[in-house]
């Protein structure tokens, strides 16, 4: 998802009887649905895993501005331009809320952000794909925000208070992004043959990466099991992916668009859609830095940060000068 | 009164807001700090909203069936009548902010006069826009002070921007026949009446910012008459691409 | 160079309501923190009034003191109105 394959640092999941008294009390609180707050005692692994997960999530929001920003200057109507601009702005806000949540765990935003810029910490691999036509903007809202919100709604119930509250805020603002995206794709799918072809092309390119967003099957993953025990991961990757496919297929049918999967079909017995094999090698390559846009995305963020340094420094310098002057005036008085 | 003059004047107001918002949207996701990115985007969004109101009204007055999008996306650069100032490229963030500050001061004075327009619709739009612009000006003037009186580097960058953009400010106060005519009728505002107030505000802010007001008198002009620099054509080529490439589509 | 300080943001969403903590942000000083809070936390008409407080200036109670601080209030049920039964016939109370 927006945070992929988060390493918990654990080799295996501990049972209650193996835990120290503190750990057990902590786990019992979580099991009872009591939120953990910033100052409460927490296992180091929980704290570190949360920092990783929340900062990856935040980075995804921040990098996620770029593929959509690619079309903001070319939006075809003033109304669409305003909608897109506001949406990208929301994403910056979501990144900011999430960095704030991470900061309650004893790291600073600049530290966390430096790890993105150095390439040490990842963001969702979905944003390493290019937006090549206007329908991509709608498709990203429809599929990518659609997939993200599926993960984020359960996270509103996660065990860490500041993260869950940030998620509530994010979900409130994001719920309509998906609708907005669908509306854009609909205008194109029902438009001229050229527009419909663009919409189909966008779906062809985004479908599989969207399914990959949920991450590999976590059947065997210790990290997933640990995160679920800590209630910072609520549903399994496969459950979420299946839910996403089931909800999206009829939406595509309504638009008269074809999902690019010859193996996709309704299964009467399971009550779900069966779908084809995901190319996990492509996923691994994109995560490893070899997607079509990895280098561009990071370079853009690094440049923005470096170009902005004089601005950030100057505002701080001015604030310091001003407070020194106030102190001097107070003394003189 | 000539309908033509009125629609020409409304289009100028719309074009200023449109072209500047287009420039600001180029920063989206690339600002120097997350909080600043969001703030600048808010300004861009306000300006798009204002552009839509002015251009819709311009299209109605013109009476040739052109709506806001037809005016925004189907005119060539010589038909755009924005001030040269707003089409200047973003440059570094200092250029973006100084351009914004020069424009915001003028914009607030202009809208303030337009709230008293004899045309109700103009007065309505101006009353709505001026609340937004008051905040734009509060922000840009505050940042000019902070960055002028920040570090040595920030002062140098701000002064460079001031010196580079100064020659695009004169046009803001040079009334042409349309503005004189509509000004005399109480419908628009004669921009030559705004110059002293504009200069006073700029001087006041620059004094606090430790920036120097250039003494150069030579000013560029022509934007209002559709004579632009090279940058506007490229801005429009990008902005208008989809509407031009697929003229029969609706979006 | 140094990071902008962290500020906690409180918003009054409606007349008559108290300011409520909504999140935090970074800003070089209080004045800019207010401006930033406006752009970050009130984009959807959420606010009538903003407070910002330097995060470093917030003193929080320690979770370890929870029992000492809050348990005693738990057994003072006479502080709650439902502790005192009022007969049905008695009105306006």
């Amino acid at each position: 998802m927006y945070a992929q394959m988060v390493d918990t640092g654990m080799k295996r999941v501990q049972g209650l009887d193996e835990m120290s008294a503190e750990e057990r009390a902590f786990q019992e609180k979580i099991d009872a649905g009591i939120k953990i707050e910033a100052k409460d005692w927490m296992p180091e692994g929980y704290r570190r895993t949360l920092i990783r997960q929340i900062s990856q999530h935040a980075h995804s929001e921040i990098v996620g501005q770029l593929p959509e920003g690619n079309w903001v200057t070319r939006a075809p109507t003033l109304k669409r331009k305003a909608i897109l601009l506001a949406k990208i702005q929301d994403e910056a806000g979501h990144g900011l809320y999430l960095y704030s949540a991470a900061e309650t765990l004893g790291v600073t935003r600049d530290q966390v952000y430096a790890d993105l810029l150095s390439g040490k910490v990842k963001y969702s691999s979905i944003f390493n794909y290019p937006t090549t036509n206007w329908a991509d903007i709608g498709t990203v809202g429809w599929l990518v925000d659609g997939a993200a919100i599926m993960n984020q709604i359960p996270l509103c119930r996660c065990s860490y208070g500041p993260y869950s509250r940030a998620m509530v805020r994010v979900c409130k603002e994001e719920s309509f992004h998906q609708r907005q995206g669908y509306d854009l794709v609909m205008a194109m799918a029902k438009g001229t043959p050229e527009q419909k072809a663009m919409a189909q092309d966008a779906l062809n390119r985004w479908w599989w990466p969207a399914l990959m967003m949920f991450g590999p099957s976590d059947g065997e993953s210790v990290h997933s099991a640990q995160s679920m025990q800590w209630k910072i991961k609520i549903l399994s990757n496969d459950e979420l992916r299946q839910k996403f496919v089931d909800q999206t297929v009829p939406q595509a049918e309504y638009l008269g668009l074809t999902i690019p999967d010859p193996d996709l079909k309704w299964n009467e017995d399971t009550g779900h859609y069966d779908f084809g094999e995901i190319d996990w090698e492509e996923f691994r390559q994109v995560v490893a830095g070899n997607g079509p846009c990895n280098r561009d995305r990071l370079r853009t963020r690094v440049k923005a940060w470096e170009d902005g340094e004089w601005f950030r420094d100057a505002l701080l310098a001015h604030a310091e000068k001003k407070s020194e002057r106030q102190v001097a005036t107070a003394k003189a008085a | 009164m000539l309908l033509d003059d009125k629609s020409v004047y409304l289009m100028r107001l719309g074009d200023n807001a449109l072209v500047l918002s287009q420039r600001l949207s180029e920063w989206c996701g690339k600002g120097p700090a997350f909080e600043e990115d969001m703030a600048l985007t808010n300004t861009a969004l306000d300006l798009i909203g204002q552009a839509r109101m002015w251009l819709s009204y311009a299209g109605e007055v013109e009476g040739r069936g052109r709506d806001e999008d037809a005016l925004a996306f189907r005119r060539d650069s010589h038909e755009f009548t924005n001030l040269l100032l707003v089409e200047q490229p973003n440059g570094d963030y200092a250029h973006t902010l100084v351009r914004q500050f020069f424009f915001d001061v003028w914009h607030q004075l202009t809208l303030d006069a337009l709230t008293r327009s004899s045309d109700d619709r103009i007065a309505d739009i101006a009353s709505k826009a001026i609340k937004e612009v008051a905040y734009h000006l509060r922000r840009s003037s505050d940042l000019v002070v902070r960055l002028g009186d920040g570090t040595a580097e920030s002062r140098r960058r701000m002064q460079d921007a001031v010196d580079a953009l100064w020659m695009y400010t004169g046009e803001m106060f040079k009334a042409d026949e349309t503005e004189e005519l509509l000004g005399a009728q109480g419908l628009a505002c004669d921009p030559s009446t705004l110059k002293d107030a504009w200069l006073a505000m700029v001087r006041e802010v620059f004094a606090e910012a430790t920036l120097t007001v250039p003494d150069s008198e030579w000013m560029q002009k022509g934007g209002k008459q559709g004579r632009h620099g090279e940058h506007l054509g490229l801005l429009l080529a990008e902005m208008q691409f989809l509407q031009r490439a697929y003229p029969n589509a609706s979006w | 160079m140094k990071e902008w300080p962290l500020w906690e943001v409180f918003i009054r969403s409606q007349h008559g309501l108290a300011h409520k903590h909504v999140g935090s942000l970074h800003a070089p000083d209080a004045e800019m923190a207010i401006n930033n809070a406006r752009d970050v936390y009130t984009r959807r008409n959420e606010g009538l009034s903003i407070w910002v407080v330097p995060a470093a200036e917030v003193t929080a109670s320690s979770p370890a003191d929870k029992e000492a601080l809050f348990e005693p209030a738990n057994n003072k049920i006479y502080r709650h109105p439902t502790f005192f039964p009022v007969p049905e016939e008695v009105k306006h109370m």
Side-chain angles (χ1 to χ4, degrees):
Chain A
M1 191 33 68
Y2 271 23
Q4 282 162 344
M5 302 190 294
V6 179
D7 188 339
T8 56
M10 306 298 270
K11 300 262 184 303
R12 63 190 188 82
V13 179
Q14 286 184 307
L16 277 178
D17 50 342
E18 299 167 272
M19 295 177 182
S20 70
E22 270 174 325
E23 285 169 344
R24 200 175 313 130
F26 173 82
Q27 187 60 49
E28 281 166 358
K29 243 167 106 175
I30 289 183
D31 294 343
I34 299 171
K35 295 267 187 260
I36 307 300
E37 294 297 337
K39 295 203 146 204
D40 293 342
W41 184 87
M42 60 186 81
E44 191 50 24
Y46 177 83
R47 195 182 74 86
R48 272 203 314 258
T49 305
L50 264 179
I51 292 174
R52 262 186 228 129
Q53 179 172 337
I54 299 173
S55 55
Q56 272 195 40
H57 196 157
H59 299 335
S60 299
E61 299 281 358
I62 295 299
V63 177
Q65 292 182 283
L66 300 175
E68 293 177 300
N70 181 37
W71 279 90
V72 78
T73 55
R74 290 178 288 171
T77 68
L78 296 179
K79 186 173 147 204
R80 292 279 182 206
K81 191 189 292 291
I83 292 172
L84 178 58
L85 200 53
K87 181 192 182 220
I88 301 173
Q89 184 193 37
D90 279 347
E91 272 147 25
H94 299 167
L96 208 140
Y97 308 154
L98 285 158
Y99 284 126
S100 300
E103 282 181 285
T104 62
L105 292 159
V107 287
T108 73
R109 186 167 87 186
D110 280 8
Q111 285 167 357
V112 166
Y113 194 58
D115 288 342
L116 167 72
L117 297 183
S118 70
K120 192 173 139 200
V121 173
K122 304 285 182 219
Y123 50 89
S124 176
S125 55
I126 192 82
F127 300 118
N128 290 316
Y129 290 88
T131 50
T132 53
N133 83 52
W134 173 248
D136 286 41
I137 298 308
T139 308
V140 165
W142 171 31
L143 300 183
V144 176
D145 289 84
I149 194 120
M150 215 154 222
N151 183 48
Q152 286 166 347
I153 287 175
L155 279 176
C156 295
R157 293 183 279 122
C158 79
S159 64
Y160 188 56
Y163 190 26
S164 97
R165 290 190 287 274
M167 278 295 108
V168 169
R169 221 184 153 83
V170 167
C171 286
K172 219 193 279 176
E173 296 184 354
E174 193 150 276
S175 54
F176 76 103
H177 286 174
Q178 185 190 15
R179 244 181 236 207
Q180 207 169 274
Y182 192 71
D183 177 67
L184 193 162
V185 180
M186 188 151 46
M188 296 191 68
K190 313 261 180 223
T192 65
E194 288 150 320
Q195 284 177 300
K196 184 164 185 187
M198 284 188 238
Q200 183 63 54
D201 174 48
L203 179 58
N204 292 348
R205 283 178 290 106
W206 289 95
W207 175 254
W208 291 106
L211 294 194
M212 291 175 199
M213 276 177 76
F214 296 94
S217 177
D218 37 15
E220 301 295 309
S221 166
V222 176
H223 303 310
S224 294
Q226 178 63 68
S227 291
M228 283 176 129
Q229 180 169 321
W230 279 335
K231 284 199 192 153
I232 53 178
K233 181 182 173 90
I234 310 292
L235 296 173
S236 80
N237 296 349
D238 286 334
E239 277 174 279
L240 286 166
R241 186 166 21 242
Q242 185 66 56
K243 228 172 130 182
F244 176 77
V245 172
D246 290 347
Q247 101 175 13
T248 310
V249 173
Q251 293 167 355
E253 280 168 1
Y254 178 80
L255 296 174
L257 299 178
T258 309
I259 287 180
D261 178 358
D263 297 326
L264 184 83
K265 62 170 188 295
W266 177 251
N267 183 328
E268 278 297 340
D269 299 336
T270 60
H272 295 290
Y273 282 94
D274 293 334
F275 53 92
E277 196 65 36
I278 292 170
D279 182 354
W280 290 112
E281 179 54 21
E282 175 179 324
F283 175 77
R284 274 184 286 274
Q285 288 294 336
V286 176
V287 170
N290 299 322
C293 301
N294 296 56
R295 285 173 184 78
D296 284 342
R297 299 287 185 245
L298 215 50
R299 204 180 294 132
T300 305
R301 292 305 335 175
V302 169
K303 183 174 179 339
W305 185 249
E306 288 176 352
D307 288 352
E309 191 178 7
W310 71 269
F311 173 90
R312 298 187 303 273
D313 288 354
L315 291 185
L316 205 55
H318 178 85
E320 281 166 5
K321 272 191 220 178
K322 206 159 72 176
S323 89
E324 278 164 24
R325 273 178 223 149
Q326 277 162 0
V327 171
T329 319
K331 271 187 188 154
Chain B
M1 181 190 62
L2 294 166
L3 282 182
D4 267 2
D5 281 303
K6 186 168 157 188
S7 68
V8 162
Y9 183 73
L10 290 167
M11 244 178 261
R12 286 180 192 172
L13 292 167
D15 288 348
N16 282 331
L18 175 61
V19 171
L20 186 55
S21 73
Q22 177 73 7
R23 280 288 182 232
L24 296 183
S25 71
E26 292 170 17
W27 276 107
C28 179
K30 302 181 183 102
F34 301 127
E35 286 85 357
E36 181 60 25
D37 204 320
M38 297 189 68
L40 194 74
T41 306
N42 270 348
T43 304
L45 280 168
D46 289 343
L47 290 170
I48 294 183
Q50 294 172 19
R52 294 179 65 187
M53 292 188 284
W54 292 127
L55 292 178
S56 295
Y57 190 25
E60 285 170 37
V61 171
E62 184 191 51
R64 287 169 48 200
R66 296 200 285 183
D67 62 7
E68 58 181 52
D69 288 326
L71 289 173
F73 296 98
R74 303 286 179 89
R75 282 179 300 151
D76 203 345
S77 68
H78 65 272
E79 297 166 282
F80 269 74
T81 53
N82 56 279
L83 297 164
L84 296 172
L85 177 71
V86 297
E87 73 194 51
Q88 297 310 308
N90 285 339
D92 68 358
Y93 210 70
H95 278 72
T96 295
L97 285 173
V98 170
R99 183 185 64 198
Q100 191 68 37
F101 171 64
F102 284 159
F103 180 74
D104 289 344
V105 180
W106 174 86
H107 203 193
Q108 192 184 42
L109 293 167
T110 302
L111 291 172
D112 178 56
L114 292 181
T115 58
R116 295 182 293 276
S117 167
S118 58
D119 182 292
D120 289 345
R121 178 104 167 253
I122 292 180
D124 273 0
I125 298 175
S127 305
K128 186 177 179 300
I130 199 166
K131 290 181 202 133
E132 296 168 343
V133 172
Y135 187 75
H136 302 169
L137 177 58
R138 169 177 150 170
R139 230 183 70 80
S140 63
S141 58
D142 183 54
L143 284 170
V144 166
V145 169
R146 288 166 183 273
L147 295 169
D149 185 21
T151 60
E153 181 182 3
S154 70
R155 178 189 289 131
R156 176 184 63 72
R157 284 176 183 268
M158 294 299 279
Q159 189 66 54
D160 285 353
V162 167
D163 295 345
L165 293 168
W166 187 251
M167 68 175 169
Y168 299 106
T169 60
E171 183 193 23
M172 298 196 284
F173 312 105
K174 212 168 155 47
D176 70 352
E177 281 173 14
T178 297
E179 285 161 335
E180 279 166 4
L181 182 75
L182 300 181
Q185 290 168 344
L187 194 135
C189 121
D190 178 343
S192 58
T193 61
L194 307 176
K195 187 172 181 181
D196 292 344
W198 184 88
L199 206 56
M201 170 93 188
V202 169
R203 284 190 195 287
E204 188 190 322
V205 170
F206 277 17
E208 206 188 333
T210 69
L211 294 171
T212 309
V213 179
D215 49 18
S216 153
E217 300 271 332
W218 176 249
M219 294 288 169
Q220 298 294 329
K221 56 179 190 295
K224 285 192 254 194
Q225 290 75 36
R227 290 193 307 278
H228 296 276
E230 293 177 347
H231 301 299
L232 184 68
L234 289 169
L235 178 145
L236 295 180
E238 186 174 344
M239 187 176 87
Q240 297 179 338
F241 159 69
L242 281 168
Q243 290 262 3
R244 298 290 193 177
Y246 304 96
N248 301 316
S250 63
W251 307 90
Chain C
M1 174 141 164
K2 272 180 13 201
E3 190 165 359
W4 289 354
L6 187 66
W7 300 78
E8 298 300 332
V9 181
F10 301 77
I11 307 258
R12 183 203 297 287
S13 57
Q14 282 176 42
H15 286 295
L17 291 188
H19 285 77
K20 184 169 173 261
H21 184 243
V22 293
S24 54
L25 50 75
H26 288 264
D29 65 14
E31 203 184 334
M32 285 204 72
I34 292 270
N35 284 353
N36 291 347
R38 178 246 192 211
D39 289 316
V40 173
Y41 288 106
T42 68
R43 300 196 306 290
R44 289 180 169 76
N45 262 327
E46 294 100 328
L48 292 170
S49 161
I50 302 172
W51 288 351
V52 292
V53 179
E57 298 292 321
V58 174
T59 309
S61 64
S62 156
D65 294 340
K66 205 161 83 185
E67 288 182 9
L69 288 174
F70 308 118
E71 284 286 317
N74 262 346
N75 42 33
K76 295 188 180 61
I77 47 174
Y78 47 80
R79 284 203 199 274
H80 297 277
T82 48
F83 181 71
F84 306 98
V86 176
E88 280 282 327
E89 307 78 54
V90 180
K91 302 296 180 197
H92 307 300
M93 196 174 280

